[in-house]
Amino acid sequence: MDCTCSNFRTSTAPFSWTPTSTSKLKFRNLKRLNSIKHSMVAMSVSGSGENGSLARFPLTPNKLFMQEAIGAEYGEGFESFRPDGPMKVDVDFLNDRLQEGFLKRIRYSMKPDEAYGLVFSWDNVVADTQTLKLNAWKQLASEEGKRVPEDGDVQKLMLYAGADQVLQKLLLWGMAESELDRLKLRFSELYYRGLLSLKTPVDGLKEWLDAVSTARIPCAIVSSLDRIHMLEALDRMSLKKYFQAIVTEEDDMESMAHRFLSAAVKLDRKPSKCVVFEDDPRGITAAHNCTMMAIALIGAHPAYDLVQADLAVGSFNELSVINLRRLFANKGSTFMELQKQSAEKAPSKRKLRIDTIF
């Protein structure tokens, strides 16, 4: 495999194959036509004019309202195509290629905290998005003359299931298939309206980011939002300066694990040196599939659903930088590496002595 480490260190975008200029131009034109077509449909459904406040919103349902795959169940990663054949970039490949150089090893030996990379999930870790989604569903139900079930378990499923599954299997409104697209577009519009009013991050996050910034630990944020609205939301919450890398919908990642791997590449850190902050058990599984550590934030899910995390906390106020060092203190036993075990020595045999009296 003809590949150098510098290709990964200097790249600020996840791995992708490089087509010819003609095919690339055609693909961009086709993608642009599709986006224009979807935006025209969305505007006609939502009633937003050319100068409307919601005309710039991506009102078409995207991965934000779909349940993503976990990914990397067998350590698989990205796959790109080159003239000499396909190149597979899996978890082991990244851990090997993103090894620290000689000078970095010296620096990290003096400042070990800088060797880590922190990856934050957007939903319910950086921002309280479950409240936004639930309010959007309730407002949609009010507009349609329906109601949202008061059962807590059903509402919890509504927060993590896709829009199709919520409309067809949970709410049971009995809508025709032709009405589903209209409802999904309206739900997307209501959610992005609520996103504009989001100005405060999760409690304790800003103080935690100040601490890791002082320790010079790079941070990344991953989300299914588009990049424009992600940057605007971070600006409103005064958090943009803390994140050195952002993975959004434009990166076109296929699973949660691929988002985490893309963040590791952008941070120039080995996946095995990264810590993922998640609130979802599926996200914790994806982090472990990438050989990353996982810190769970209790809230959206109870503590007993997050037992697989390496550390579970009620809020960011409970964390300190020393917690990151402790996560990697016993890494071998955590990731089921082979351990040396001393064999028990058998007791020495007793020598039989025969005393002969002459």
Side-chain angles (χ1 to χ4, degrees):
M1 184 179 298
D2 186 12
C3 179
T4 60
C5 183
S6 61
N7 292 337
F8 301 107
R9 298 176 189 271
T10 58
S11 176
T12 58
F15 300 101
S16 60
W17 65 286
T18 306
T20 60
S21 59
T22 304
S23 61
K24 188 174 183 179
L25 181 60
K26 291 181 179 179
F27 176 75
R28 285 183 175 177
N29 291 338
L30 180 61
K31 189 174 183 180
R32 183 178 179 183
L33 289 174
N34 288 334
S35 63
I36 294 175
K37 174 183 173 183
H38 286 307
S39 61
M40 291 176 63
V41 173
M43 289 176 61
S44 64
V45 172
S46 60
S48 300
E50 186 176 314
N51 299 323
S53 60
L54 296 174
R56 60 189 181 90
F57 283 178
L59 298 181
T60 53
N62 54 16
K63 293 181 180 179
L64 182 66
F65 310 111
M66 295 165 49
Q67 191 175 47
E68 288 187 280
I70 295 177
E73 285 82 0
Y74 303 99
E76 66 273 12
F78 314 108
E79 184 173 357
S80 61
F81 296 91
R82 294 190 172 189
D84 55 348
M87 182 185 71
K88 293 184 178 181
V89 184
D90 56 14
V91 176
D92 292 335
F93 179 85
L94 291 178
N95 278 324
D96 179 62
R97 288 289 178 169
L98 293 176
Q99 290 282 356
E100 301 90 353
F102 176 71
L103 294 179
K104 282 191 175 181
R105 286 200 300 269
I106 295 178
R107 181 179 181 85
Y108 293 160
S109 64
M110 296 184 293
K111 298 181 179 180
D113 298 332
E114 295 184 13
Y116 307 136
L118 306 185
V119 181
F120 293 81
S121 177
W122 164 257
D123 291 325
N124 304 319
V125 175
V126 175
D128 184 14
T129 57
Q130 63 176 353
T131 302
L132 293 180
K133 288 185 179 180
L134 187 58
N135 289 339
W137 282 120
K138 289 182 178 179
Q139 187 172 350
L140 178 63
S142 177
E143 293 178 357
E144 298 295 325
K146 306 290 184 179
R147 66 179 185 86
V148 173
E150 297 296 333
D151 188 1
D153 293 334
V154 175
Q155 292 187 1
K156 182 178 177 181
L157 291 174
M158 291 173 58
L159 298 176
Y160 295 95
D164 289 324
Q165 184 178 359
V166 172
L167 291 171
Q168 295 177 354
K169 298 182 179 180
L170 296 178
L171 295 180
L172 301 176
W173 287 349
M175 295 288 186
E177 291 290 337
S178 59
E179 291 290 305
L180 293 180
D181 289 337
R182 181 184 65 83
L183 293 176
K184 287 188 292 184
L185 289 173
R186 181 56 181 162
F187 169 69
S188 178
E189 179 184 345
L190 294 173
Y191 177 83
Y192 278 99
R193 275 183 177 174
L195 189 64
L196 288 176
S197 62
L198 190 63
K199 296 182 180 180
T200 56
V202 171
D203 184 40
L205 175 63
K206 195 168 184 179
E207 292 76 12
W208 169 242
L209 290 175
D210 279 327
V212 298
S213 177
T214 303
R216 300 179 64 87
I217 304 175
C219 300
I221 184 171
V222 299
S223 172
S224 298
L225 280 174
D226 61 286
R227 188 173 299 273
I228 294 178
H229 289 90
M230 169 60 69
L231 293 176
E232 289 180 354
L234 292 177
D235 271 334
R236 286 194 300 271
M237 294 187 290
S238 301
L239 298 179
K240 184 179 178 181
K241 62 181 179 179
Y242 296 110
F243 296 102
Q244 289 73 40
I246 297 176
V247 180
T248 56
E249 183 185 12
E250 286 81 0
D251 293 299
D252 197 22
M253 296 290 103
E254 298 178 354
S255 64
M256 303 170 73
H258 286 182
R259 293 186 187 277
F260 297 154
L261 292 176
S262 177
V265 172
K266 291 185 177 185
L267 291 177
D268 193 19
R269 295 295 186 271
K270 297 190 300 182
S272 59
K273 281 289 188 179
C274 291
V275 181
V276 174
F277 291 83
E278 262 286 355
D279 76 309
D280 189 355
R282 302 175 71 254
I284 295 171
T285 302
H288 286 165
N289 289 346
C290 299
T291 68
M292 298 179 178
M293 294 292 184
I295 295 180
L297 198 64
I298 302 172
H301 291 270
Y304 57 79
D305 284 342
L306 305 171
V307 292
Q308 58 181 335
D310 300 287
L311 178 64
V313 294
S315 70
F316 286 102
N317 294 323
E318 302 177 16
L319 289 173
S320 64
V321 178
I322 194 65
N323 293 124
L324 301 179
R325 302 175 190 172
R326 291 174 177 172
L327 285 178
F328 294 93
N330 300 315
K331 183 178 175 181
S333 59
T334 304
F335 285 95
M336 297 182 292
E337 294 178 356
L338 295 177
Q339 301 292 309
K340 292 183 179 180
Q341 182 178 359
S342 58
E344 297 181 358
K345 294 183 179 180
S348 58
K349 295 182 179 180
R350 183 179 180 184
K351 293 182 180 181
L352 299 177
R353 298 178 181 274
I354 302 177
D355 294 330
T356 304
I357 300 176
F358 293 98

